[in-house]
């Protein structure tokens, strides 16, 4: 299909790991991105991965990329209540002109 | 601050009125994007400016929507004869160029009565 797909909701307990999944569409996408949106705010860039990488780690965040399956995931270790937000994945298409965003995964962290 | 600035942060207007939304990108960023985010939805691409090139308007939903970017910096998104379905958060983003991470403003929440 044409859409970048994400599950809508994820609920975890504080201290657990969270894994947010995304399926993208363009196998030629060069960069894939993860953004975080807190209530009433814009999108904050969390991390991104270049398509020739399988994994990227940045403190509590780990991004895994499976190009064969066009699957991207974001793992948050030791999830905190402050991590509660909506997480968007995004890919670039059309000769780098357009970002396409998934519908977002709402992460709820229970104390 | 040095981030993307949008104004107003909230706008309430009557159906049929025209509205203008403003975006101040990060200084030096050549690319500027407008998106629309309806309640509980993802981002819908509206328009993209890159340097002095003709903008990519392919996401504009109707001819009531237009955008300008003057001097390669500030951009204005104009919605004419607003309709209730135009109610949404309008987000602006800028980047150093194509394929570079986009940095977002906090958006303008538009409510059409």
């Amino acid at each position: 299909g044409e859409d970048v797909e994400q599950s809508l909701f994820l609920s975890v307990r504080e201290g657990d790991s969270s894994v947010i999944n995304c399926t993208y569409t363009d196998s030629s996408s060069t960069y894939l991105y993860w953004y975080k949106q807190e209530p009433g705010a814009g999108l904050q860039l969390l991390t991104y991965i270049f398509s020739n990488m399988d994994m990227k780690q940045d403190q509590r965040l780990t991004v895994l990329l499976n190009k064969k399956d066009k699957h991207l995931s974001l793992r948050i270790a030791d999830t905190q209540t402050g991590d509660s937000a909506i997480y968007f994945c995004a890919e670039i298409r059309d000769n780098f002109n357009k970002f396409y965003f998934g519908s977002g995964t709402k992460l709820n962290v229970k104390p | 601050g040095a981030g993307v600035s949008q104004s107003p942060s909230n706008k309430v207007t009557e159906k049929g009125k025209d509205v203008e939304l403003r975006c101040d990108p990060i200084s030096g960023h050549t690319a500027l994007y407008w998106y629309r985010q309806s309640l509980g939805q993802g981002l819908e691409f509206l328009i993209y400016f890159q340097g002095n090139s003709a903008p990519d308007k392919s996401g504009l939903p109707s001819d009531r929507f237009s955008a300008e970017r003057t001097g390669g910096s500030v951009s204005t998104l104009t919605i004419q004869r607003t309709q209730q379905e135009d109610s949404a958060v309008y987000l602006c983003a800028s980047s150093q160029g194509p394929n570079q991470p986009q940095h977002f403003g906090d958006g303008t929440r538009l409510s059409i009565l």
Side-chain angles (χ1 to χ4, degrees):
Chain A
E2 292 293 318
D3 295 337
V4 177
E5 295 185 346
Q6 299 180 239
S7 53
L8 292 181
F9 299 101
L10 177 65
S11 184
V12 300
R13 292 202 177 277
E14 190 173 19
D16 288 349
S17 292
S18 307
V19 179
I20 302 171
N21 294 303
C22 171
T23 302
Y24 61 98
T25 64
D26 191 343
S27 59
S28 65
S29 292
T30 308
Y31 288 94
L32 295 130
Y33 297 84
W34 283 104
Y35 284 84
K36 175 183 180 183
Q37 186 179 35
E38 296 180 352
L43 275 68
Q44 171 196 353
L45 176 67
L46 281 180
T47 187
Y48 59 97
I49 188 167
F50 189 53
S51 60
N52 69 351
M53 299 169 64
D54 297 325
M55 185 183 81
K56 180 179 179 181
Q57 187 154 1
D58 184 1
Q59 299 182 334
R60 292 191 298 120
L61 304 179
T62 303
V63 179
L64 295 178
L65 177 60
N66 180 332
K67 285 193 69 175
K68 174 177 174 290
D69 295 336
K70 288 182 278 189
H71 184 264
L72 181 73
S73 68
L74 173 70
R75 179 178 181 270
I76 306 172
D78 187 25
T79 314
Q80 303 297 306
T81 54
D83 296 325
S84 293
I86 301 175
Y87 291 80
F88 293 91
C89 67
E91 63 166 341
I92 295 176
R93 302 182 202 163
D94 298 339
N95 298 319
F96 314 130
N97 283 350
K98 293 180 190 174
F99 276 55
Y100 285 81
F101 288 82
S103 56
T105 299
K106 186 171 185 178
L107 175 64
N108 179 42
V109 182
K110 295 179 283 189
Chain B
V4 176
S5 178
Q6 290 188 246
S7 61
S9 54
N10 286 282
K11 177 73 176 178
V12 181
T13 193
E14 293 178 346
K15 177 182 171 181
K17 300 284 189 184
D18 297 351
V19 294
E20 283 190 354
L21 312 180
R22 178 187 168 102
C23 174
D24 267 294
I26 293 172
S27 178
H29 280 194
T30 60
L32 187 147
Y33 305 78
W34 283 99
Y35 296 89
R36 178 167 69 176
Q37 185 177 29
S38 300
L39 186 63
Q41 302 296 313
L43 274 70
E44 175 188 4
F45 167 79
L46 296 178
I47 189 169
Y48 160 66
F49 296 89
Q50 172 57 50
N52 295 322
S53 302
D56 179 349
K57 303 179 182 180
S58 60
L60 294 179
S62 78
D63 59 8
R64 296 187 296 105
F65 287 72
S66 62
E68 290 186 341
R69 189 179 185 193
T70 54
S73 180
V74 172
S75 176
T76 302
L77 176 69
T78 301
I79 309 173
Q80 295 178 308
R81 305 181 302 282
T82 51
Q83 303 295 312
Q84 286 186 331
E85 61 262 29
D86 299 334
S87 296
V89 176
Y90 289 82
L91 291 164
C92 174
S94 70
S95 67
Q96 290 183 328
N99 208 26
Q100 297 300 307
Q102 296 182 20
H103 299 266
F104 283 79
D106 286 339
T108 294
R109 184 174 299 277
L110 177 64
S111 300
I112 309 300
L113 302 178

